[in-house]
Amino acid sequence: SQQGEEDPQALSIQEGENATMNCSYKTSINNLQWYRQNSGRGLVHLILIRSNEREKHSGRLRVTLDTSKKSSSLLITASRAADTASYFCATDVRYSTLTFGKGTMLLVSP
Amino acid sequence: EPEVTQTPSHQVTQMGQEVILRCVPISNHLYFYWYRQILGQKVEFLVSFYNNEISEKSEIFDDQFSVERPDGSNFTLKIRSTKLEDSAMYFCASRTDVAGNTIYFGEGSWLTVV
């Protein structure tokens, strides 16, 4: 697999349920960032987690990072229809550029 | 909240034509980037720019591409002679001078080459 691969590729849930998306990567990182993209729109930054952090919260979002497994997860609690979007993890290896995964398409049905 | 702004939001151009995509990064940011996303594919890094010069570029960023910071606020991407495969969403991004900080993206410019 390549740097920053998310799974599942697609996730369909009902409003109120939790959504969990995973990201795996291959090389050591300095930080990992999660972004959201509504269809055909820009990338909205959600959370940055540094390599020495294990968990971060922001509102209904919870991100974990396990550097020993080279993986991260994004949990959205109590999902809403407005959370429908694609979610990407992006790894920052050299404090320079980001490498993006293919993303998880999340569909939240009312 | 400050944001990265891009123009145009959508441009259709004929193959072989030159295109300039414009960006206004966040005002106190010092690192600037261009990424692109071909429809249905990953977001790919093109180039980074710092201190008025290219600091890193990918294999995609060949001689057809150039970047410029013509004044204190704008950051442009020029494609000299567009090809059909240049059709994509182009994102400008910026961050502060602090290594490892958040990179903020604009809304993107859709480029369609016909």
Side-chain angles (χ1 to χ4, degrees):
Chain A
S1 66
Q2 298 178 36
Q3 188 80 345
E5 288 290 316
E6 296 92 339
D7 81 272
Q9 289 187 341
L11 181 61
S12 184
I13 59 175
Q14 298 290 119
E15 262 190 329
E17 293 180 339
N18 295 342
T20 300
M21 289 159 269
N22 303 296
C23 169
S24 60
Y25 56 91
K26 296 195 79 174
T27 64
S28 295
I29 60 172
N30 294 310
N31 66 60
L32 186 148
Q33 305 188 35
W34 283 91
Y35 290 85
R36 184 186 76 224
Q37 184 182 36
N38 287 48
S39 180
R41 303 294 301 277
L43 295 162
V44 176
H45 184 261
L46 297 176
I47 287 186
L48 180 154
I49 186 164
R50 302 189 190 279
S51 60
N52 61 351
E53 296 175 313
R54 291 296 165 257
E55 188 171 311
K56 281 190 87 167
H57 297 256
S58 176
R60 294 183 296 112
L61 306 181
R62 173 179 167 251
V63 166
T64 62
L65 180 64
D66 186 334
T67 52
S68 65
K69 294 181 180 176
K70 293 187 170 57
S71 68
S72 174
S73 68
L74 169 66
L75 168 68
I76 304 174
T77 59
S79 62
R80 305 166 182 165
D83 295 328
T84 294
S86 291
Y87 291 82
F88 297 89
C89 70
T91 51
D92 182 346
V93 173
R94 297 188 304 278
Y95 288 135
S96 56
T97 65
L98 295 177
T99 301
F100 283 80
K102 289 183 179 178
T104 294
M105 288 181 58
L106 174 66
L107 173 64
V108 183
S109 302
Chain B
E1 185 174 313
E3 56 183 24
V4 176
T5 58
Q6 291 185 240
T7 55
S9 56
H10 191 194
Q11 182 162 353
V12 180
T13 190
Q14 293 220 323
M15 196 166 52
Q17 294 296 304
E18 176 183 284
V19 160
I20 297 176
L21 304 178
R22 292 182 166 80
C23 170
V24 179
I26 296 173
S27 62
N28 64 338
H29 286 190
L30 298 178
Y31 285 84
F32 313 118
Y33 306 86
W34 285 100
Y35 286 76
R36 79 171 185 191
Q37 185 182 32
I38 294 171
L39 191 63
Q41 297 189 23
K42 287 186 181 187
V43 176
E44 302 171 291
F45 167 73
L46 293 178
V47 66
S48 60
F49 192 86
Y50 173 73
N51 201 24
N52 286 319
E53 60 182 22
I54 290 173
S55 50
E56 195 170 346
K57 61 182 181 179
S58 71
E59 291 178 353
I60 303 168
F61 194 87
D62 61 22
D63 291 344
Q64 292 298 315
F65 292 88
S66 63
V67 289
E68 196 177 34
R69 187 151 164 84
D71 53 43
S73 59
N74 292 284
F75 179 52
T76 62
L77 174 69
K78 182 192 290 187
I79 309 174
R80 255 179 278 282
S81 177
T82 50
K83 308 181 190 104
L84 294 177
E85 54 265 36
D86 293 328
S87 295
M89 175 81 102
Y90 288 81
F91 291 108
C92 176
S94 70
R95 70 166 170 87
T96 66
D97 61 344
V98 178
N101 265 15
T102 299
I103 296 180
Y104 293 93
F105 285 78
E107 281 287 311
S109 293
W110 269 112
L111 176 63
T112 303
V113 183
V114 296

